[in-house]
Amino acid sequence: MKLPSSARAVVIGGGVAGCSVAYHLARLGWTEVLLVERHELTEGTTWHSAGFVGQLRSTVTQTKMIMYSAGLYPELAELTGLDPGWHGVGGLRLATTPERVQESLRLAGAAETYGLDLEMLSGAEAGRRLPLLNVEDVRAALWLPGDGWLDPALLARALAAGAQKLGVRILTGTRVTGLDVVGGAITGVRLARGDGEAGETEEWSVQAETVVIAAGAASGRVGRLAGVDVPVVPIKHQYVVTEPFEVSSFMPTVRDPDNIVYFREEGGGILVGGYIRDPEIWDTAEPLQEPRTLFSPNMPKFQESWDSAVRRVPGLARTEIVKVVHGPEAFTPDGEFLLGETPVRGLWAAAGFCVHGLAAAGGVGKVMAEWIVDGSPEYDVFAMDLRRFSGHARSASWARARALDAYSTYYDIVYPGEERTAARPLRRSPAWVRHVELGAAFGEKSGWERVNWFESNARPAGSGVTPDGRDTSGDRDTSGVPARGGFPARDSDDGRDDDGQDGDDGSEYRPEGWAGRVWSPAVRRECLATRDAAGLFDQSSFSKLEVAGPGALEGLQRACAGRIDRPVGSVVYTQLLNARGGIEADLTVTRLAEDRFRLVTGTAFGVHDAAWLRGQGLDVRDVTSAHACYCLWGPRALDILGSVCPDDLTFGYLRAREISVGNVPVLAQRVTFVGEFGWELYCPAEYGLTLWDTLMEAGTPFGMRPAGYRAIDSMRLEKGYRVWGLDITPETTPYEAGLGFAVARDKDFLGRAALEGHGSRGPSNTGTPDTADTPGTPGTSGASGAPAGAAPARRLFCLVLDDPRQVCLGGEPVRSGGLPVSRVTSGGYGHRVDRSIAYAYLPAGTAPGDRVEVGVTGVWTGAAVVAEPLYDPSSERIRHLPS
């Protein structure tokens, strides 16, 4: 047999991941694809999968991928004549605690937005659907008729057969001995066949500019051959199979997350699996070196799961366990897939399937093939993108600690705002020590410790506070928006209006349900202090990228939808678009010199955005750790900064200047994400602690408070500022999102062609940020900034809920006229306007004054579509110097 010496793409791994990627590449026309497997197909991680397919997931992308996978099986059967091993028996997800019932209600709401068939059952109804269950403690159950399970080997073989029919060549018994990298790009794969001992070894190279690592638990080892880190952590996972006892083959799958156990029918008996609280890592340098690797049974560790299963299915007590499967699963630091291009150009990963990868295998193949062939997938896959991790992910100890935490809490309820503690603290701002002294409640993102709020602000006081705790300002409303829009104020005995500011604990502002679980009155006080005096925010975790040198301007003009060719000192708010016009990044670009630019993007997006820009031919340097950043915003910000800065601070909005603050050199940028006057203040990191202390000392007498990210999120909702990954994604265009004002019509850029027929007509949504330097009306998306063409079929609109205690967290279903129309992209409570606010994409004909309903954890609440922004609609507070 003649061995290939070149291929358009080489896929490493013959499990469901590799077979699916190869099949979908071929389906998109890449027929010169080679798939190599060290053993036989499926003999790495795939073969011992329990095969559960649960379509309802926590994100819309995960659910779409699994729903796509379910639709793929008939296609495979028709193409190959092979049974892909699909058992569409439906699935039950049980809830035995009030908290789990609340989670089920939220999941049911999400299912409506996904178009997923689902029914909420009582415990008794669940028992009637599956009589072998003990449902005495079951409060509710979700019934998903589209769920089921797969035979993993049959699925992989059907995918492989389909790939072969489309021209893919598959070589089993073939080892990868090296990956060739030249100039930062993959150029080929070195392969070997034969054991090198009893028989001959044949070695050769295959030239290829696209290589996909889909080697399951061995993906980390394969990645290291090219010097890249694929943070896969092999963790031991165990399930058992009982002897047959007349269990119907039509038995639905069952998940009982409160008791960390799952089960389904297998050969007339029951397969029982679970997530133990003290998992073990498979600590080996050569994972999957042998085929069909299994570990010795560890029944003591499995006892809790078995006992839970016996309580749920009493018939199990009368059976014997006839098989124990204890094998490696490829887990990741956050329990999510690892997909996308590595730092080596052309070298991709499709790994980290954890214990739910089989269900989404078809969807993984789809998005990977689209990504490789077209440059971006149809779905928003950032949560699965390998580039969501920063450099610290190369640490094996960090990856292990996080992966063990992800596994052990896999079935736990994850409340919005709840923070994980594993492998923390790691990345810290220069002012971290001061935050600790002020009682900061920290959150974590991309390894950074970030302040959610300061508990020192939770003490009843005015909206400002002096160092000795004296109240310096009342709770006055200067926003022009009627206050007290929902929560009734309590009158104290002395006649004061007790609203969470003067003498009470603020508990009347705690939202109902999940939104009130991780909550503090400090957030409101930080918002009102920023409105009435000033807030000081530590945003040192901002990702900061620099592009410099010849060609920097031309490259950024091509990559950014906005006009970058502006005078030195300009700050431009812009998006990076894909070829479909979808938003791949949302950032600001500051022109520091004729040929030097600094880009500022979200904490977790730096690696992703830098890679996207490099893909457009730009030389990008990540300077995140070189600079601290503090944001000083509020009507007293000019007084505060002016007291410690001799320089002229009256330069305009979206301008940047070099100034001195005390003894510290600072780059001040007139930019806001909260809708108040002020600056982002950047300094070299070694000055960071001094700058924080200088600003705190200067600001405290003026009523300034240190503040955190929860306050930022509340205030940005009031101003209609979008968040990438929630309100805007690669699946949304600027015109759909109300960001047409940020699109330049006078230049060419990636995605422009797709936008030409996707313009904006009629009234526009309010955009972000407020600027007189962008096309269109200041503070609006500006129809004049959009190309001629049909109006988009949907637009992002602001909603105000009738009941202010019902607060959205994102993902809630939206109905109009009793019919599902959308889902909430993001939501929260606006403390400056006292409104419960949500955003959702609605049909383009929607207008302010229209009515919808929003389902918040099973409670349907009326909501009004309103003009935005709710706070300071004329943007006077941003544009003009404080009076």
PDB file of all heavy atoms in Angstrom, residues 64 72 98 175 183 199 269 282 307 416 452 461 535 577 660:
ATOM      1  N   LYS A  64     -27.566  23.890  20.406  1.00  0.00           N
ATOM      2  CA  LYS A  64     -27.621  23.831  18.949  1.00  0.00           C
ATOM      3  C   LYS A  64     -26.739  22.712  18.409  1.00  0.00           C
ATOM      4  O   LYS A  64     -27.119  22.003  17.467  1.00  0.00           O
ATOM      5  CB  LYS A  64     -27.152  25.163  18.348  1.00  0.00           C
ATOM      6  CG  LYS A  64     -28.147  26.301  18.423  1.00  0.00           C
ATOM      7  CD  LYS A  64     -27.526  27.544  17.790  1.00  0.00           C
ATOM      8  CE  LYS A  64     -28.446  28.736  17.820  1.00  0.00           C
ATOM      9  NZ  LYS A  64     -27.782  29.942  17.249  1.00  0.00           N
ATOM     10  N   LEU A  72     -28.081  14.562  12.485  1.00  0.00           N
ATOM     11  CA  LEU A  72     -27.057  13.971  11.626  1.00  0.00           C
ATOM     12  C   LEU A  72     -27.213  12.460  11.470  1.00  0.00           C
ATOM     13  O   LEU A  72     -26.821  11.896  10.440  1.00  0.00           O
ATOM     14  CB  LEU A  72     -25.670  14.297  12.209  1.00  0.00           C
ATOM     15  CG  LEU A  72     -24.441  13.717  11.513  1.00  0.00           C
ATOM     16  CD1 LEU A  72     -24.296  14.310  10.118  1.00  0.00           C
ATOM     17  CD2 LEU A  72     -23.182  14.017  12.350  1.00  0.00           C
ATOM     18  N   PRO A  98     -35.794  22.173  46.497  1.00  0.00           N
ATOM     19  CA  PRO A  98     -36.372  23.417  45.963  1.00  0.00           C
ATOM     20  C   PRO A  98     -35.414  24.141  45.018  1.00  0.00           C
ATOM     21  O   PRO A  98     -35.838  24.721  44.018  1.00  0.00           O
ATOM     22  CB  PRO A  98     -36.661  24.239  47.222  1.00  0.00           C
ATOM     23  CG  PRO A  98     -36.808  23.237  48.313  1.00  0.00           C
ATOM     24  CD  PRO A  98     -35.858  22.134  47.974  1.00  0.00           C
ATOM     25  N   ARG A 175       1.277   5.867  14.366  1.00  0.00           N
ATOM     26  CA  ARG A 175       1.640   6.768  15.450  1.00  0.00           C
ATOM     27  C   ARG A 175       2.107   8.115  14.900  1.00  0.00           C
ATOM     28  O   ARG A 175       2.736   8.171  13.840  1.00  0.00           O
ATOM     29  CB  ARG A 175       2.765   6.175  16.310  1.00  0.00           C
ATOM     30  CG  ARG A 175       2.478   4.808  16.867  1.00  0.00           C
ATOM     31  CD  ARG A 175       3.544   4.380  17.878  1.00  0.00           C
ATOM     32  NE  ARG A 175       4.905   4.470  17.380  1.00  0.00           N
ATOM     33  CZ  ARG A 175       5.486   3.565  16.603  1.00  0.00           C
ATOM     34  NH1 ARG A 175       4.805   2.499  16.217  1.00  0.00           N
ATOM     35  NH2 ARG A 175       6.743   3.718  16.208  1.00  0.00           N
ATOM     36  N   GLY A 183       8.389  28.734  10.919  1.00  0.00           N
ATOM     37  CA  GLY A 183       7.902  30.102  10.936  1.00  0.00           C
ATOM     38  C   GLY A 183       6.578  30.274  11.660  1.00  0.00           C
ATOM     39  O   GLY A 183       5.766  31.118  11.291  1.00  0.00           O
ATOM     40  N   GLY A 199       8.646  -6.415  14.820  1.00  0.00           N
ATOM     41  CA  GLY A 199       8.528  -6.224  13.387  1.00  0.00           C
ATOM     42  C   GLY A 199       9.232  -4.967  12.946  1.00  0.00           C
ATOM     43  O   GLY A 199       9.876  -4.266  13.721  1.00  0.00           O
ATOM     44  N   GLY A 269     -30.293  -4.840  31.582  1.00  0.00           N
ATOM     45  CA  GLY A 269     -29.970  -4.378  32.925  1.00  0.00           C
ATOM     46  C   GLY A 269     -29.893  -2.858  32.919  1.00  0.00           C
ATOM     47  O   GLY A 269     -30.488  -2.184  32.078  1.00  0.00           O
ATOM     48  N   TRP A 282      -5.407  10.723  36.096  1.00  0.00           N
ATOM     49  CA  TRP A 282      -4.558   9.666  35.538  1.00  0.00           C
ATOM     50  C   TRP A 282      -3.202  10.303  35.252  1.00  0.00           C
ATOM     51  O   TRP A 282      -3.018  10.993  34.269  1.00  0.00           O
ATOM     52  CB  TRP A 282      -5.192   9.110  34.277  1.00  0.00           C
ATOM     53  CG  TRP A 282      -4.413   7.965  33.662  1.00  0.00           C
ATOM     54  CD1 TRP A 282      -3.573   7.110  34.297  1.00  0.00           C
ATOM     55  CD2 TRP A 282      -4.425   7.574  32.289  1.00  0.00           C
ATOM     56  NE1 TRP A 282      -3.061   6.194  33.416  1.00  0.00           N
ATOM     57  CE2 TRP A 282      -3.562   6.456  32.171  1.00  0.00           C
ATOM     58  CE3 TRP A 282      -5.085   8.041  31.157  1.00  0.00           C
ATOM     59  CZ2 TRP A 282      -3.348   5.816  30.944  1.00  0.00           C
ATOM     60  CZ3 TRP A 282      -4.874   7.408  29.950  1.00  0.00           C
ATOM     61  CH2 TRP A 282      -4.019   6.308  29.840  1.00  0.00           C
ATOM     62  N   ASP A 307     -25.222   3.759  45.913  1.00  0.00           N
ATOM     63  CA  ASP A 307     -26.277   3.872  46.927  1.00  0.00           C
ATOM     64  C   ASP A 307     -27.395   4.800  46.443  1.00  0.00           C
ATOM     65  O   ASP A 307     -28.586   4.527  46.674  1.00  0.00           O
ATOM     66  CB  ASP A 307     -25.692   4.402  48.241  1.00  0.00           C
ATOM     67  CG  ASP A 307     -24.788   3.386  48.921  1.00  0.00           C
ATOM     68  OD1 ASP A 307     -24.848   2.190  48.556  1.00  0.00           O
ATOM     69  OD2 ASP A 307     -24.018   3.794  49.818  1.00  0.00           O
ATOM     70  N   PRO A 416     -25.746  32.104  39.059  1.00  0.00           N
ATOM     71  CA  PRO A 416     -25.092  33.272  38.456  1.00  0.00           C
ATOM     72  C   PRO A 416     -24.415  34.122  39.524  1.00  0.00           C
ATOM     73  O   PRO A 416     -24.995  34.418  40.566  1.00  0.00           O
ATOM     74  CB  PRO A 416     -26.263  34.018  37.800  1.00  0.00           C
ATOM     75  CG  PRO A 416     -27.283  32.944  37.529  1.00  0.00           C
ATOM     76  CD  PRO A 416     -27.168  31.991  38.685  1.00  0.00           C
ATOM     77  N   ASN A 452     -15.854  42.359  42.733  1.00  0.00           N
ATOM     78  CA  ASN A 452     -17.281  42.421  42.403  1.00  0.00           C
ATOM     79  C   ASN A 452     -17.946  43.580  43.140  1.00  0.00           C
ATOM     80  O   ASN A 452     -18.760  44.309  42.575  1.00  0.00           O
ATOM     81  CB  ASN A 452     -17.967  41.107  42.755  1.00  0.00           C
ATOM     82  CG  ASN A 452     -17.641  40.008  41.758  1.00  0.00           C
ATOM     83  OD1 ASN A 452     -17.324  40.280  40.599  1.00  0.00           O
ATOM     84  ND2 ASN A 452     -17.701  38.762  42.205  1.00  0.00           N
ATOM     85  N   ALA A 461     -25.005  54.031  54.947  1.00  0.00           N
ATOM     86  CA  ALA A 461     -24.412  55.366  54.934  1.00  0.00           C
ATOM     87  C   ALA A 461     -24.989  56.103  53.752  1.00  0.00           C
ATOM     88  O   ALA A 461     -25.849  55.596  53.048  1.00  0.00           O
ATOM     89  CB  ALA A 461     -22.885  55.271  54.840  1.00  0.00           C
ATOM     90  N   GLY A 535     -16.944  57.152  41.450  1.00  0.00           N
ATOM     91  CA  GLY A 535     -16.544  55.789  41.770  1.00  0.00           C
ATOM     92  C   GLY A 535     -15.170  55.531  41.196  1.00  0.00           C
ATOM     93  O   GLY A 535     -14.822  56.034  40.116  1.00  0.00           O
ATOM     94  N   LEU A 577     -15.129  42.331  12.514  1.00  0.00           N
ATOM     95  CA  LEU A 577     -16.200  41.520  11.956  1.00  0.00           C
ATOM     96  C   LEU A 577     -15.635  40.317  11.207  1.00  0.00           C
ATOM     97  O   LEU A 577     -14.509  40.363  10.689  1.00  0.00           O
ATOM     98  CB  LEU A 577     -17.057  42.352  10.998  1.00  0.00           C
ATOM     99  CG  LEU A 577     -17.619  43.675  11.525  1.00  0.00           C
ATOM    100  CD1 LEU A 577     -18.499  44.320  10.460  1.00  0.00           C
ATOM    101  CD2 LEU A 577     -18.393  43.471  12.815  1.00  0.00           C
ATOM    102  N   SER A 660       0.234  63.688  34.425  1.00  0.00           N
ATOM    103  CA  SER A 660       0.843  63.229  35.673  1.00  0.00           C
ATOM    104  C   SER A 660      -0.205  63.293  36.767  1.00  0.00           C
ATOM    105  O   SER A 660      -0.904  64.301  36.916  1.00  0.00           O
ATOM    106  CB  SER A 660       2.041  64.105  36.057  1.00  0.00           C
ATOM    107  OG  SER A 660       3.076  63.982  35.106  1.00  0.00           O
TER     108      SER A 660
END
